[in-house]
Amino acid sequence: GSGGEGFDNNGETLFLSPLLAERYLEVADQLLDEVIITPPLSRAFVAKDLLPGREADENDSIEMRPGEAVTRKISVFNESDYRLRVWIRSPGVDDEPHADILVNGSPAGELNFKWSLAKATNQAETIPLGRGPHEISFAINDESIPLRLVSLDIEQQQADPSPARQAAHYRLFGREPGESPLAPRRAAKQLLERFATRAYRRPLAEGELDPFLSLFDRSAERGDPYEESIRLALKAVLVSPEFLFRTEAPHDGEGPQPLSSHELATRLSYFLWGTMPDAELMHLAAADRLQEDEILLDQVDRLLDHPRSRFFVSSFIGQWLGTKDVGGRVAPTLNEIQHFYTPQIAADMREEPILLFQRMLNEDRSLLEFLNADYTYLTERLAQHYGMPDAVQGNQFQLVSTPNGRRGGLLGLGAVQAMNAGYKRTSPVLRGVW
């Protein structure tokens, strides 16, 4: 959220609500799911591994009577369908034991066993499981006959990951999915250091990586796959304040002091591109050359010449003038003028001041043109809306001369006029105050 002057990059007026913090946690999970491929789960449990524990016979089976149940807790790392297969000693010719599968105490499937010539027979049920810990139970129906349980297997059913996802996994890990490094902790440290340095937009301080490595260690000690241990640490990076906020080191001395090179690179990149510094800015910051006037001016020109500078132009104009609200908060609520005030017209109105400012910026034109420009940008539908039907052909924006001055500059923009008037009449007071 933001307040104050209305700009969303004023740090003193920004705040983080608990709901937004929860959403950051959710989106971190979603992003990592798109990139990290955890090996499919495949586990087999013999009867004596299930709780409550009991002694097995010479055939490694345990007796279960009607109403009894055994349970196993498992950790699921991928939301998917899972094939649950239960093996029992073969019943007699006329015996048909019945059992239920429960997930976290709720029924998830029913198994009906048949006589078999083999020593053991099995039945399977496919159940959907979400990410996280689950309690899988095998329970004998009260109406069933006793049986002897041999084992319980669970196997994930999933399609092969897409080539794009495999490529993303390889780009992050430097190895194929399921391929564990020979020295997992050393590889984890290198990966996390590289990732956190990029995420924090600066070199890490001594010991700054330790909390993330401790998360990796904790997960690895539980027996989680290597990819999952890395994933836990990466999630912590993605929700840490040093990533979510653009922090700057406090200065102890009095009076203004220069930013560090990395802080300056971050300010510059987010101001003009709305994203983290690229490789060239990071390289100059690491060499401590960004503070040099000539280098800094060259970088400002480079960033403004790049298509990403569209972010600065659109976000600044939309917030400065308030025209981003046209078609949303600023829109007529009565249908009598909807036939000419359409969503397309509103979108064109929002775009017109952006293109005006873009030209002034690219060509280093005078700021006075905000008031007295003799040109504007129009589409055919916007020109017709303005009563200039012959000015433009087609609905691609074109530069149009306005020699009479009626549509030149900010005061002639439909978006500005729409913000400061009623839906059927003008308002000199509102426009004068604006």
Side-chain angles (χ1 to χ4, degrees):
S2 63
E5 297 86 351
F7 288 98
D8 63 9
N9 61 351
N10 183 352
E12 293 185 353
T13 67
L14 302 182
F15 57 91
L16 183 68
S17 68
L19 180 60
L20 184 56
E22 290 180 14
R23 295 296 292 161
Y24 274 123
L25 286 164
E26 291 175 18
V27 79
D29 272 329
Q30 293 173 15
L31 288 169
L32 293 171
D33 284 343
E34 291 295 318
V35 174
I36 297 177
I37 302 173
T38 302
L41 177 66
S42 181
R43 300 287 301 274
F45 304 104
V46 296
K48 63 182 180 181
D49 290 337
L50 306 175
L51 298 176
R54 62 188 77 181
E55 291 293 328
D57 62 11
E58 66 278 3
N59 297 310
D60 291 327
S61 65
I62 60 173
E63 184 180 26
M64 294 186 64
R65 297 187 172 277
E68 292 184 337
V70 289
T71 299
R72 180 74 191 201
K73 291 184 178 180
I74 62 169
S75 293
V76 170
F77 304 114
N78 297 302
E79 183 175 349
S80 182
D81 289 335
Y82 290 80
R83 189 78 167 166
L84 196 70
R85 188 175 299 278
V86 177
W87 291 84
I88 68 169
R89 296 288 296 172
S90 290
V93 177
D94 299 324
D95 296 336
E96 294 186 355
H98 305 294
D100 295 319
I101 298 296
L102 293 86
V103 177
N104 302 323
S106 299
E110 184 177 358
L111 301 178
N112 299 306
F113 297 92
K114 305 290 185 180
W115 176 75
S116 170
L117 286 171
K119 292 182 178 180
T121 186
N122 71 88
Q123 288 293 317
E125 183 75 22
T126 299
I127 54 176
L129 293 176
R131 182 180 176 83
H134 295 281
E135 193 174 83
I136 307 297
S137 300
F138 173 71
I140 308 300
N141 286 351
D142 289 336
E143 297 82 13
S144 177
I145 62 172
L147 57 77
R148 297 202 68 86
L149 176 65
V150 176
S151 66
L152 184 152
D153 306 338
I154 184 166
E155 185 173 10
Q156 182 180 348
Q157 311 289 298
Q158 77 170 17
D160 291 334
S162 67
R165 191 173 173 217
Q166 293 184 56
H169 180 101
Y170 189 87
R171 190 164 64 249
L172 177 64
F173 285 90
R175 61 189 77 249
E176 298 296 336
E179 182 183 345
S180 295
L182 295 177
R185 196 177 192 279
R186 184 173 63 186
K189 182 177 181 180
Q190 293 172 348
L191 188 157
L192 290 171
E193 186 170 17
R194 183 175 68 250
F195 187 88
T197 299
R198 187 79 179 104
Y200 288 4
R201 305 166 290 273
R202 58 168 174 76
L204 299 182
E206 184 178 354
E208 202 167 10
L209 197 64
D210 293 347
F212 306 114
L213 280 173
S214 68
L215 287 174
F216 172 85
D217 293 338
R218 190 184 309 172
S219 178
E221 288 168 3
R222 287 198 303 261
D224 295 346
Y226 174 73
E227 292 85 352
E228 280 302 308
S229 301
I230 288 288
R231 186 187 192 282
L232 183 64
L234 292 181
K235 181 179 177 181
V237 174
L238 290 176
V239 296
S240 66
E242 292 291 332
F243 172 66
L244 296 180
F245 297 95
R246 302 201 298 274
T247 59
E248 295 172 357
H251 298 296
D252 298 330
E254 296 182 359
Q257 298 182 43
L259 298 168
S260 73
S261 291
H262 285 93
E263 290 169 348
L264 181 57
T266 295
R267 276 205 191 189
L268 190 61
S269 183
Y270 276 94
F271 181 52
L272 296 180
W273 281 1
T275 188
M276 53 179 42
D278 65 356
E280 184 170 338
L281 276 175
M282 292 293 283
H283 175 73
L284 289 170
D288 205 21
R289 298 195 61 199
L290 202 53
Q291 304 279 12
E292 299 174 20
D293 289 348
E294 184 177 348
I295 296 292
L296 182 58
L297 289 173
D298 286 344
Q299 288 303 307
V300 171
D301 287 339
R302 180 179 73 88
L303 268 61
L304 285 175
D305 288 340
H306 196 283
R308 285 181 181 173
S309 65
R310 162 77 184 189
F311 163 83
F312 164 66
V313 176
S314 59
S315 63
F316 172 72
I317 284 293
Q319 295 180 75
W320 179 47
L321 302 180
T323 50
K324 64 182 176 61
D325 293 326
V326 172
R329 183 180 62 83
V330 178
T333 57
L334 299 181
N335 290 331
E336 59 190 273
I337 63 170
Q338 293 293 335
H339 63 286
F340 61 82
Y341 187 89
T342 63
Q344 291 80 12
I345 289 293
D348 288 350
M349 284 183 173
R350 292 193 301 270
E351 185 69 12
E352 187 183 6
I354 293 173
L355 295 175
L356 172 69
F357 180 50
Q358 184 79 67
R359 185 187 190 206
M360 294 170 58
L361 188 65
N362 290 349
E363 300 179 11
D364 197 18
R365 303 176 74 89
S366 170
L367 282 174
L368 293 178
E369 291 187 9
F370 275 130
L371 297 178
N372 61 13
D374 59 357
Y375 62 88
T376 190
Y377 286 85
L378 298 176
T379 61
E380 182 176 348
R381 58 178 167 248
L382 192 56
Q384 291 177 349
H385 185 66
Y386 286 169
M388 306 164 61
D390 300 325
V392 177
Q393 297 295 319
N395 282 318
Q396 298 296 319
F397 272 98
Q398 300 174 39
L399 181 64
V400 176
S401 176
T402 57
N404 59 15
R406 293 189 61 192
R407 284 291 170 189
L410 299 183
L411 301 180
L413 296 174
V416 170
Q417 294 178 1
M419 290 167 48
N420 298 292
Y423 78 97
K424 291 180 68 174
R425 61 181 176 82
T426 185
S427 175
V429 174
L430 286 177
R431 290 180 180 173
V433 170
W434 186 89

